[in-house]
């Protein structure tokens, strides 16, 4: 199983930590976020690591020469969906994709890898506890989901707090057919919406992954899920870093 880590952005809200290093180099409990990510991905069954870089990519190339690299040269002007597609040529086999600013465990990766669904999202079912101490990143900004019968019905930030089943953690699995469906769907939407508004994004280039996931769901493409009961943390602000030093217990 191939893993594609999306790590092109700067992480401006983590300044000054990211002034001279990529966001994934920030240290939690004495270990880089990226090293926690590798531990989870490899422990969950991923044997090949692809890294999509942009800001300070040379630092990652220097310290992790065994990675396969793809570069998002226009990272300052696009977002995570377009960034992921910088590795489109490597989506010719099943893969797991991951944000680069999150902490998670091998268990949820293993659940995704073993899923029979062609497309599946990692979901934190204990997400409300995760948000309780976060004052700089309120719940309304969470990539919330509603699931039913083993499938994802909605993935949307505007899902009401009380209605959400969980939060998409930024880790997803694509089977061989699922990867092909995703590439084809992206190609059609890119041709139609490039430089134009797409879903909640001002222009297509600024869209998030969940915008396309929800679009695909509305077009009848099924998404399964694998759950983690709280063993997940997002590192978006300095407050998140401080909280993770004591609350992250993999």
């Amino acid at each position: 199983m191939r893993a594609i880590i999306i790590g092109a952005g700067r992480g401006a809200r983590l300044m000054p930590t990211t002034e001279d290093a990529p966001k994934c180099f920030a240290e939690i409990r004495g270990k880089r976020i990226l090293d926690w990510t590798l531990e989870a991905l490899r422990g969950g069954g991923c044997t090949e690591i692809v890294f999509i870089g942009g800001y300070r990519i040379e630092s990652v190339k220097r310290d992790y020469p065994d990675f396969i690299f793809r570069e998002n040269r226009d990272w300052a002007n696009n977002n995570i969906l377009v960034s992921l597609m910088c590795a489109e040529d490597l989506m010719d086999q099943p893969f797991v994709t991951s944000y680069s600013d999150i902490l998670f465990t091998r268990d949820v990766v293993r659940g995704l890898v073993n899923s029979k669904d062609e497309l599946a999202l990692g979901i934190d079912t204990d997400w409300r506890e995760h948000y309780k101490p976060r004052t700089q990143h309120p719940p309304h900004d969470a990539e919330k989901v509603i699931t039913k019968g083993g499938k994802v019905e909605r993935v949307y930030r505007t899902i009401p707090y009380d209605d959400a089943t969980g939060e998409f953690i930024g880790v997803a699995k694509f089977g061989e057919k699922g990867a092909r469906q995703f590439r084809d769907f992206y190609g059609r939407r890119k041709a139609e919406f490039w430089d134009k508004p797409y879903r909640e994004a001002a222009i297509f280039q600024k869209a998030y992954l969940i915008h396309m996931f929800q679009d695909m769901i509305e077009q009848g493409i099924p998404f399964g899920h694998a759950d983690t009961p709280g063993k997940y943390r997002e590192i978006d602000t300095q407050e998140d870093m401080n909280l993770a030093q004591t609350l992250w217990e993999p």
Side-chain angles (χ1 to χ4, degrees):
M1 179 68 71
R2 176 175 286 162
I4 302 177
I5 302 171
I6 314 166
R10 180 172 187 172
R13 293 209 280 180
L14 263 187
M15 289 287 282
T17 301
T18 57
E19 185 164 357
D20 297 309
K23 188 177 184 181
C24 59
F25 275 26
E27 291 193 2
I28 305 297
R29 298 188 62 178
K31 186 186 295 188
R32 288 173 174 173
I33 296 173
L34 182 53
D35 291 327
W36 287 113
T37 300
L38 293 175
E39 184 177 293
L41 290 171
R42 288 171 173 158
C46 298
T47 57
E48 185 177 76
I49 305 297
V50 178
F51 188 89
I52 300 170
Y55 177 70
R56 300 290 184 181
I57 189 175
E58 67 281 355
S59 299
V60 188
K61 287 183 174 180
R62 180 192 64 231
D63 291 358
Y64 300 87
D66 57 324
F67 287 0
I68 298 170
F69 285 92
R70 291 295 181 269
E71 185 170 2
N72 178 359
R73 296 181 182 275
D74 198 32
W75 60 268
N77 298 308
N78 58 43
N79 208 340
I80 199 159
L81 174 60
V82 171
S83 192
L84 173 59
M85 299 310 290
C86 291
E88 184 174 2
D89 64 311
L90 297 173
M91 297 178 183
D92 57 345
Q93 66 179 64
F95 67 94
V96 169
T97 187
S98 168
Y99 297 168
S100 65
D101 60 350
I102 56 175
L103 302 170
F104 54 99
T105 69
R106 66 185 64 189
D107 292 339
V108 71
V109 178
R110 190 177 295 115
L112 289 168
V113 169
N114 293 335
S115 170
K116 294 181 180 179
D117 293 296
E118 281 295 315
L119 295 156
L121 306 184
I123 293 172
D124 177 19
T125 55
D126 201 25
W127 72 283
R128 292 181 180 86
E129 291 299 315
H130 173 53
Y131 275 85
K132 280 182 178 178
R134 301 177 79 188
T135 63
Q136 298 176 11
H137 193 111
H140 68 74
D141 201 34
E143 296 187 329
K144 296 181 285 295
V145 299
I146 295 176
T147 61
K148 185 178 181 180
K151 301 298 180 185
V152 179
E153 288 192 337
R154 291 192 74 200
V155 51
Y156 231 94
R157 281 191 170 88
T158 57
I159 292 173
Y161 179 88
D162 292 331
D163 294 346
T165 308
E167 178 186 16
F168 171 51
I169 69 171
V171 184
K173 172 258 181 124
F174 301 74
E176 186 174 352
K177 177 184 175 182
R180 185 169 60 251
Q181 287 177 306
F182 184 75
R183 294 195 314 268
D184 292 347
F185 199 94
Y186 176 87
R188 294 195 299 272
R189 290 299 187 252
K190 177 183 177 182
E192 184 177 359
F193 291 104
W194 192 263
D195 281 332
K196 300 175 183 176
Y198 175 65
R199 310 293 293 192
E200 290 71 49
I203 57 172
F204 183 84
Q205 294 93 308
K206 290 291 187 178
Y208 288 89
L209 269 180
I210 61 169
H211 291 143
M212 183 154 289
F213 289 163
Q214 179 62 30
D215 193 357
M216 294 174 73
I217 290 169
E218 291 173 9
Q219 298 304 312
I221 299 174
F223 279 72
H225 59 94
D227 299 344
T228 179
K231 293 190 177 297
Y232 154 73
R233 297 207 70 84
E234 179 185 21
I235 310 299
D236 191 50
T237 66
Q238 190 64 49
E239 178 187 56
D240 290 333
M241 276 193 65
N242 296 338
L243 288 168
Q245 304 299 345
T246 56
L247 297 178
W248 173 238
E249 297 179 358

